[in-house]
Amino acid sequence: MKDLINKLAEEHSLNLEEYEALISGRNEENTRLLREFAVKVRREIYGNDVYIRGLIEISNICRNDCLYCGIRKSNKNCERYRLTPDEIIECSNEGYELGFRTFVLQGGEDGYFTDEILGGIVKKIKDNHPDCAVTLSMGERSYGSYKFLRACGADRYLLRHETADSQHYSRLHPLAMSYDNRMKCLENLRSLGYQVGCGFMVGSPYQTVKNIAKDLKFIETFKPEMCGIGPFIPHKDTEFRNFPPGSAEMTCYLLSVIRLIYPPVLLPATTALGTVNPIGREMGIMSGANVVMPNLSPVKVRKKYELYDNKICTGEESAQCRNCLNERVSKIGYRIVTGRGDFRVPC
């Protein structure tokens, strides 16, 4: 297994069978070796810097019915909300004062946010704060929509591919949703010049080692500027309520692998990772992650954006959340930095 890890560190590529062996061979020694390689590579590009993104959860209204998601259309127990454009702008203004220079607008696929409305919000944020980056995470849209939003100033787009196996995709989503369309959206985003983020859930229902190997191979070939992975966490109002959650340990193992697959990738230590383990985000950073995304949403709506059960950081003010992360990150020898935190191509 050591030879396989050395090969990945040197060549940044394995075949599917080798990825499967690497996943199946997770143990304490392999975890340590991967982590050491991942941290070394990350430090060569980003040093000890951890970038912060100000997350604004703009709506929990969604037209989709993804089987794992707490804000799915058919969940009648979900208390719906939608921030107004003025509220979103105010969140970004508050975040700017706290030092944030990237804002992530995330929400369900809410038909209210037409190109004109969403584009207007993006343009206003960029007009107010031209030194900032705006990231969108608003699901599947048309090529024309992505093009319009890019012209309005959107810099990045996060769209988890969820799984690189079409059959597995069909077990996680309703028939109305298409694996092919998800992949087409990612291709469209790349062609339009966005910095693109993909990702998947670790330990999602019916996921196999072969599925994860395909995910890793997809990341290797697509080379996303960002990659968000986090453990699957069940939600009480979905049909996957009784499935076990994914593990923080496997998630961190895969963070190290992804760092070696594509060294400059921006890797978040996700809120889900911090939900399944109290020090999950610190574990993620020590495994190769270099991004955290504290919540700038109004406190009154945070508990309503419940993609999974027991989500952390739903009751803190934005300043408290930022200060808490500063302390936690510094304790493990890293530092949170202000700035856009752009993807870096190694020299």
Side-chain angles (χ1 to χ4, degrees):
M1 188 61 67
K2 186 176 180 180
D3 289 343
L4 208 56
I5 294 172
N6 286 329
K7 178 182 178 182
L8 179 62
E10 292 173 6
E11 301 179 15
H12 313 299
S13 174
L14 298 175
N15 63 39
L16 281 173
E17 291 73 22
E18 289 170 329
Y19 279 129
E20 286 186 55
L22 189 62
I23 298 160
S24 300
R26 180 175 69 90
N27 60 28
E28 188 174 331
E29 175 60 21
N30 294 336
T31 298
R32 181 193 60 78
L33 186 58
L34 276 168
R35 185 172 59 237
E36 288 176 358
F37 274 125
V39 168
K40 179 177 182 293
V41 166
R42 193 264 320 279
R43 281 184 173 150
E44 289 172 354
I45 302 171
Y46 295 106
N48 283 345
D49 293 348
V50 174
Y51 299 127
I52 55 170
R53 318 300 201 197
L55 178 64
I56 307 172
E57 295 164 336
I58 67 176
S59 172
N60 71 350
I61 298 167
C62 190
R63 66 179 179 178
N64 291 329
D65 221 11
C66 302
L67 277 62
Y68 49 81
C69 185
I71 66 169
R72 61 191 305 226
K73 178 179 65 175
S74 65
N75 183 6
K76 305 303 182 186
N77 296 322
C78 180
E79 185 181 350
R80 305 292 174 174
Y81 77 90
R82 175 191 296 133
L83 298 184
T84 66
D86 286 345
E87 287 175 316
I88 296 166
I89 299 300
E90 180 54 36
C91 287
S92 69
N93 291 339
E94 179 186 352
Y96 191 86
E97 293 300 315
L98 291 170
F100 291 86
R101 296 297 181 265
T102 287
F103 302 107
V104 181
L105 309 188
Q106 178 176 290
E109 293 191 18
D110 181 350
Y112 168 81
F113 288 103
T114 61
D115 293 344
E116 290 71 23
I117 291 175
L118 187 56
I121 295 168
V122 172
K123 191 173 187 305
K124 182 67 172 175
I125 293 173
K126 298 287 281 196
D127 287 345
N128 289 347
H129 311 296
D131 55 332
C132 290
V134 174
T135 302
L136 298 177
S137 182
M138 298 293 293
E140 297 179 1
R141 301 173 78 97
S142 69
Y143 177 90
S145 175
Y146 290 145
K147 184 177 181 180
F148 180 83
L149 295 170
R150 180 83 176 112
C152 290
D155 302 280
R156 307 168 185 151
Y157 204 102
L158 306 178
L159 182 65
R160 284 191 173 188
H161 66 281
E162 301 298 359
T163 172
D165 182 282
S166 59
Q167 289 188 327
H168 186 218
Y169 188 93
S170 70
R171 302 190 78 175
L172 301 177
H173 300 89
L175 289 175
M177 296 185 69
S178 160
Y179 168 83
D180 291 338
N181 190 61
R182 181 62 59 97
M183 291 299 177
K184 184 65 176 177
C185 285
L186 286 167
E187 292 171 9
N188 288 342
L189 290 163
R190 171 59 56 76
S191 72
L192 289 165
Y194 284 91
Q195 293 181 40
V196 184
C198 64
F200 60 95
M201 295 177 291
V202 178
S204 62
Y206 312 114
Q207 186 182 65
T208 64
V209 169
K210 187 180 290 291
N211 293 149
I212 300 175
K214 286 184 176 181
D215 288 321
L216 297 177
K217 197 66 181 178
F218 172 71
I219 290 163
E220 178 191 312
T221 55
F222 186 69
K223 291 182 167 54
E225 285 80 9
M226 302 160 285
C227 185
I229 71 167
F232 163 76
I233 304 174
H235 189 281
K236 61 185 178 301
D237 294 320
T238 71
E239 63 184 69
F240 294 152
R241 65 181 70 86
N242 294 322
F243 279 73
S247 78
E249 291 74 18
M250 178 58 86
T251 301
C252 290
Y253 188 77
L254 294 174
L255 282 170
S256 297
V257 172
I258 293 168
R259 175 62 67 194
L260 295 181
I261 288 173
Y262 193 42
V265 70
L266 293 161
L267 276 179
T270 62
T271 302
L273 192 50
T275 298
V276 298
N277 189 301
I279 58 167
R281 285 176 294 183
E282 290 94 328
M283 291 167 59
I285 292 168
M286 292 188 291
S287 299
N290 66 327
V291 173
V292 289
M293 296 171 61
N295 203 328
L296 296 180
S297 307
V299 173
K300 66 181 181 180
V301 302
R302 289 190 193 175
K303 289 184 179 179
K304 299 176 185 178
Y305 199 83
E306 188 181 71
L307 306 181
Y308 48 81
D309 287 343
N310 304 315
K311 179 182 171 186
I312 60 170
C313 299
T314 59
E316 300 169 317
E317 296 293 343
S318 299
Q320 292 175 310
C321 193
R322 163 72 197 274
N323 292 335
C324 172
L325 280 172
N326 274 343
E327 293 177 11
R328 296 178 72 149
V329 168
S330 66
K331 283 181 179 179
I332 57 172
Y334 293 81
R335 62 170 192 161
I336 284 182
V337 296
T338 57
R340 287 166 50 107
D342 284 307
F343 171 84
R344 293 183 186 173
V345 178
C347 300

